[in-house]
Amino acid sequence: RWVQSFQRMHLDASPSPPAALRPGGAYLITGGLGGIGLALAGYLGRTVQAKLALLSRTALPERHQWQAWLDAHLPDEKISTQIHAIQKVESEGGQVMVVSADVANFAEVSKAIEVVEREFGTLHGVIHAAGIPGDVSIRLRSGSAADAMLSPKAKGALVLRQAIADRKLDFLIFCSSLSSLLGGTQADYAGANAFLDAMAHRLWQCGVRAISINWDAWKEVGMAVQAHSSNDGLLSRALTPDEGVQIFARVLEVQSPQVAVATTDFEVALRHRPRVAADAHRSELTASSGPVAELPSVAEPTRAADEVEQVLAQIWKELLGVKQVMPYDNFFDLGGHSLLGTRLLEKLRARFQVELPLRSLLEVPTIAGMAERIRSLSWAMGRSRDPVAATSPSTDVS
Ligand SMILES: NC(=O)c1ccc[n+]([C@@H]2O[C@H](COP(=O)([O-])OP(=O)(O)OC[C@H]3O[C@@H](n4cnc5c(N)ncnc54)[C@H](OP(=O)(O)O)[C@@H]3O)[C@@H](O)[C@H]2O)c1
């Protein structure tokens, strides 16, 4: 089984602009008129003079009406702040298009992407920041309220994936939340974010550079500001928009499908998270199978969890001459090339009796992805989905 673990990461200040961003690149931000969406749009506009499509359900007034709007409304009204933010992006060299669509509606999103590509050309990246806040405990929420919560994040992510399926993006960023790791009473909000985390892991396995960022609260902009009073402890330690965008820039360089961003000690927060369900599960497991690891799991493969990955890791280490490999490390990032790829496939053929074409290395360049391919092939050939046990029960791996 999988055992979730977390690794503390030190992320150096990214070069400006980060390598993942293209000068004049075209980026779609769902929830782009929200607090985080506009902050990231500001960063992309001033850093790489990006072409930005900001997608949300609520449309802004037509551009030619903006000045009249600003003249007639207070500067801190929502639409006024959105117009001001867009004007700032444009004054700093970015281009902005506002698109009105429900991210959970495939027809609307496909049409929006068509319009954006007609205007901006190729789309280079997508940031999925659409979402609605969790307000009350799950016990007080109706099923339809929970559906509405899940829709922009979870259904939205699936719709986006389908709508951009044939495009090769530089990145797909999910704005998730620490709530999916730390839990809490807003189970539907945490669940929607957990879906984003899981989807990023899955996409990474398929060779898509998807990263789910588990954000801590932001101050000054966004949904946490609306939900908490300014003297609330949560906001006093929250990220400023400037810190948020600097972290975003660093995360763009990370080789991992999930990054949690915490302003307080994350390990302490994990220890103190609500754990009623976890404890019930733990006592069941301890009764039958002895001590269990501290936490349930996402990242590192253990021998007990997946022997195919362990064997693959050993082969990668020998071939690439590296001491450690992680399930989502990319073969080519670790120094792999086509000749080593051919040797790798020969070793896999000998070890697992499966024929993988060289192309598969480009499609699934990670241990996790490759293990899944091997298991599927093995199963399709009428053998076990656990080819390690099937071929060599005494495999000795470190
Ligand atoms: N702010 C924080 O402290 C924080 C912390 C952790 C995680 N996050 C996550 O980061 C993301 C952005 O947060 P934020 O603070 O920027 O929130 P926000 O200010 O409330 O913005 C969210 C945006 O999403 C749009 N949206 C909602 N449903 C949509 C749909 N079905 N289709 C298209 N757009 C939709 C909303 O516009 P319309 O209503 O007009 O559609 C809104 O502009 C959210 O997913 C949130 O869960 C935020």
Side-chain angles (χ1 to χ4, degrees), residues 30-37 55-58 78 82 101-104 128-133 151-153 175-178 189 193 215-218 221-224 226:
T30 73
L33 292 178
I36 293 181
L55 179 148
S56 66
R57 291 167 302 178
T58 318
K78 188 174 170 188
Q82 291 169 330
D102 180 345
V103 71
H128 183 33
I132 58 172
S151 177
K153 282 192 183 254
C175 286
S176 175
S177 149
L178 279 184
Y189 183 70
N193 286 298
W215 289 113
D216 206 330
W218 285 47
V221 298
M223 58 174 64
Q226 283 142 34

